Amino acid sequence: MPQLYVMFKTVSTDCNLDCSYCYYRESLEGVRVRRRMDNGLIERFIPAYMEYVADAGVASMAWQGGEPTLAGLPFFQKIVEAQSRSVAPGTLVSNSLQTNAVLLNDDWGAFLKRYNWLVGVSLDGPREMHDTLRRDRGGRGSFDRVMRGIDVLRRHGVAFNVLCVLGPHNVDRPVELLRFFRAERFTHVQFIPAMDFQAMEPERPPVYLITPAQYGAFLTAAFDEWHEEGSPRISIRTFDNFLQSYTGVPNDLCVHSDRCDSGIVVEYDGSAYPCDFYIHPRWRLGNVLETPLREIAEGPARRAFVFQKQPLPDECRRCEWLRVCKSACFRNRTEGEDGTRPDHFCASYKTFFPHADARLRGLGSAIENKRRYLRMAEIAPREVARVGRNDPCPCGSGRKHKLCCLSPAAERSYLLATPPEFKA
């Protein structure tokens, strides 16, 4: 069986914050309704899921909301117990938690570290930016509480990344944002534009709180700050995804992939959907408590969703950047008198790619050179070890060893650093 990523909406739309731009604040049952996924669903679904992915050898689960930590730590302890009882030998189990970090304490930190969970923390920049829109129901900003939660993760050695929503409060300050994240020693950051529609409104036009012009300007300025003369030190997921396309690696983000294949979403009651932008009866794939998982994952409804990027809008088919943009997000298309129009942020990408293309190509070449270098170091380690600093680099670039794969700048970059196992 193929791999199947599952996103659990653990508490549905319930949250202890009240961020005005949240696309998952409303449901068909109301706004911020208190809902909880019960233990019975976990006990029944996890074994079925583990059986389904056993041949693939990877079980990948994400726990989101709302705010998933509202379900309480005992609920998550039952999750790992259910996983350990039913996982097939040799299967890699991957769990991630997307949280506002407000409720994290040392008990959470110890749990997340013990079971090697990856944590995503929502943080919109320094206090002034973050507290503009990320407030609780009493109107209080959450920045200090979020940073305390991040401190918990750091003390316990938990791997985490940052999710930053771009809105009117921060989109015009990309350099300040990146320098703040770098100063805080964050290593992985993802940016997403703030939406002005809800997950349960898939037919509503894609309206965002920032314009395509603003997003395009943000991407170009952020890229300039991130690039660091070809040795970037902080992972920006959007740029990493573009690099995947430049180097021929399948894109791990559905927005810039050939297909709308981001697994399935399981709501608190077991209802399954193909994407968390499509939480609506029309797109319901079934219920994991009632419908066989194979039918949900491989049935005609999900297959139709996965391939819905085709046919492409005419403008996309003619575009020179299609090979890296991949027509972006289907949810962001609109219908006009002249037919289907591209992604809402098409103009943003048409601003960004001409600006960054040469440097993305250069990074792609550097990555390929480093791959060749490491393959040679693995096959003929003694020969590579004898290459002098002023000799031609073994990767074949034609540059001196010390200025290419052995350069200090490359070793500082998360893209080009030599893995520890090759340094022994």
Side-chain angles (χ1 to χ4, degrees), residues 255-257 309 312-313 316 322 325-330 333 342-343:
V255 173
H256 299 294
S257 179
K309 281 194 177 186
L312 295 173
C316 291
L322 176 62
C325 171
K326 307 296 179 68
S327 84
C329 183
F330 181 85
R333 291 181 188 175
D343 184 290

Side-chain angles (χ1 to χ4, degrees), residues 174-307:
V175 173
E176 186 177 346
L177 263 180
L178 261 69
R179 290 181 180 176
F180 167 75
F181 291 142
R182 194 179 287 125
E184 288 291 338
R185 296 178 288 111
F186 298 147
T187 58
H188 293 74
V189 178
Q190 179 180 2
F191 296 109
I192 60 172
M195 307 155 201
D196 195 22
F197 56 84
Q198 291 294 304
M200 44 78 69
E201 300 176 314
E203 307 304 327
R204 185 178 172 187
V207 180
Y208 285 80
L209 298 182
I210 62 174
T211 67
Q214 285 179 307
Y215 190 43
F218 177 88
L219 289 175
T220 55
F223 181 85
D224 291 344
E225 179 68 20
W226 167 83
H227 184 259
E228 296 196 70
E229 298 184 352
S231 299
R233 289 175 292 160
I234 181 171
S235 168
I236 304 295
R237 189 176 185 187
T238 302
F239 303 150
D240 290 347
N241 290 138
F242 292 150
L243 273 171
Q244 287 178 320
S245 295
Y246 271 82
T247 55
V249 175
N251 209 299
D252 62 14
L253 183 67
C254 57
V255 173
H256 299 294
S257 179
D258 293 313
R259 307 189 304 175
C260 297
D261 188 0
S262 56
I264 62 172
V265 179
V266 177
E267 256 286 355
Y268 79 97
D269 63 351
S271 295
Y273 302 89
C275 171
D276 64 348
F277 282 176
Y278 289 83
I279 308 299
H280 188 274
R282 176 184 170 189
W283 295 97
R284 189 174 181 270
L285 302 175
N287 188 295
V288 299
L289 297 175
E290 304 164 355
T291 313
L293 183 54
R294 183 190 299 270
E295 183 177 329
I296 289 174
E298 302 176 30
R302 182 166 180 268
R303 283 204 308 271
F305 185 90
V306 166
F307 293 104

Side-chain angles (χ1 to χ4, degrees), residues 26 33 56 81 103 132 189 217-218 265 272 291 360 389:
E26 298 178 21
V33 177
E81 291 168 5
L103 296 180
T132 301
V189 178
F218 177 88
V265 179
T291 313
L360 285 170
R389 290 172 51 81

